[in-house]
Amino acid sequence: MQIDLIHFTPGLSLAGGLIIGLAAAALVLFNGRIAGISGILGGLLNWPRNDIGWRLAFLVGLVGVPVIAGLLGKPAHLDIEADWREIVVAGLLVGIGTRYASGCTSGHGVCGLSRGSVRSLVATATFMAAGFLTVFVQRHLIGG
């Protein structure tokens, strides 16, 4: 195994993880809400009468920060080696998995594990195993 030291950024990754953890903790402490993206977006699509503001603010921040970083000259490098059909199928599979798991990787992996939820532990282990298997099949069996 070879590590790409040019793109290996453990410090930035740690800082990003800490910021995500702090944001999730702040949301649960101040609003009593879990920072699961699928739940936040799903709740917004149901048009709740009294909690649209925090959901919109969360999603605008989620999308807006990378846009602002790009405008400041720090664009994120994104190289997707898939056509639009593969991306649509992948998105649908992720959406189906999110519904079956009663939450997404952010809700289970960040918030659920920190609360000691067994359901989140099982869900996160399943997400990770599926990811490992997908990479193995793609790189070693299909070729890529």
Side-chain angles (χ1 to χ4, degrees), residues 50-124:
N50 58 354
D51 66 349
I52 292 174
W54 76 267
R55 292 175 189 272
L56 278 176
F58 191 95
L59 295 171
V60 165
L62 190 69
V63 174
V65 169
V67 170
I68 292 169
L71 293 173
L72 294 174
K74 307 270 189 212
H77 177 72
L78 184 60
D79 186 20
I80 300 174
E81 296 177 12
D83 65 19
W84 67 270
R85 291 173 296 231
E86 292 171 315
I87 293 170
V88 168
V89 169
L92 289 172
L93 289 173
V94 167
I96 291 167
T98 298
R99 293 298 292 174
Y100 277 118
S102 298
C104 58
T105 53
S106 58
H108 284 299
V110 175
C111 300
L113 290 179
S114 65
R115 292 186 340 235
S117 168
V118 174
R119 182 176 80 165
S120 291
L121 178 63
V122 171
T124 302

Side-chain angles (χ1 to χ4, degrees), residues 39-55:
I40 293 170
L41 180 61
L44 187 61
L45 295 177
N46 290 333
W47 287 107
R49 303 241 185 275
N50 58 354
D51 66 349
I52 292 174
W54 76 267
R55 292 175 189 272

Side-chain angles (χ1 to χ4, degrees), residues 7-23:
H7 298 104
F8 181 63
T9 57
L12 290 175
S13 300
L14 177 63
L18 289 172
I19 291 169
I20 290 169
L22 287 172

